[in-house]
Amino acid sequence: MSDRSLRGMRLGAQSMETESGVEPAPRQRVEYRCADGERVFVTFSSEADIPATWVSKTGKEALLVDGEKPDTSNDKPVRTHWDMLLERRSMDELEQILQDRLTILRERRGERRSA
């Protein structure tokens, strides 16, 4: 008898609650525009901070319509791994480390060479 009462019902897959009386959070629709004129519309919460730029689905950067241009003058230059290495070691130290490592590698391979 209990097998028949649950037939056709997907337990856990569907909510038994109704959406009556539920109000969605207040939203705002914001427009961005790419340099080539592509328009991008994004929906944000009305309480959200709106970013000055947005990346469109096509991968292009879009600017907020009627918004301020982002200030990029404060951006730090990108530090590469090499730049950070040169902050810790001098070129002479790096040359010495390279020679030491090459010597160890050659000894492992059995290529004993005189310097």
Side-chain angles (χ1 to χ4, degrees):
M1 182 94 165
S2 63
D3 293 337
R4 289 183 167 198
S5 62
L6 296 177
R7 188 182 310 168
M9 182 62 181
R10 295 179 293 217
L11 294 176
Q14 294 175 334
S15 174
M16 301 303 275
E17 294 184 24
T18 63
E19 292 187 13
S20 61
V22 176
E23 284 187 39
R27 296 175 282 184
Q28 58 182 328
R29 189 171 185 219
V30 179
E31 181 182 356
Y32 291 89
R33 203 166 280 151
C34 296
D36 64 354
E38 178 185 354
R39 295 169 64 186
V40 180
F41 294 97
V42 183
T43 304
F44 290 101
S45 167
S46 62
E47 300 169 357
D49 294 330
I50 308 300
T53 60
W54 191 263
V55 178
S56 70
K57 290 181 182 178
T58 57
K60 296 179 248 175
E61 187 173 283
L63 296 174
L64 181 64
V65 173
D66 299 330
E68 299 176 9
K69 286 195 172 192
D71 183 23
T72 58
S73 62
N74 297 4
D75 291 344
K76 291 183 179 179
V78 177
R79 282 181 26 187
T80 63
H81 177 71
W82 180 249
D83 294 332
M84 290 184 270
L85 183 64
L86 289 177
E87 290 174 7
R88 296 189 309 267
R89 308 254 189 206
S90 69
M91 285 301 288
D92 293 335
E93 287 177 305
L94 291 173
E95 284 291 332
Q96 183 60 45
I97 292 170
L98 175 63
Q99 292 307 318
D100 293 344
R101 297 307 297 171
L102 286 174
T103 302
I104 292 170
L105 181 64
R106 287 179 181 132
E107 286 175 357
R108 281 189 195 161
R109 291 182 178 175
E111 299 175 14
R112 188 103 179 146
R113 290 176 46 175
S114 59

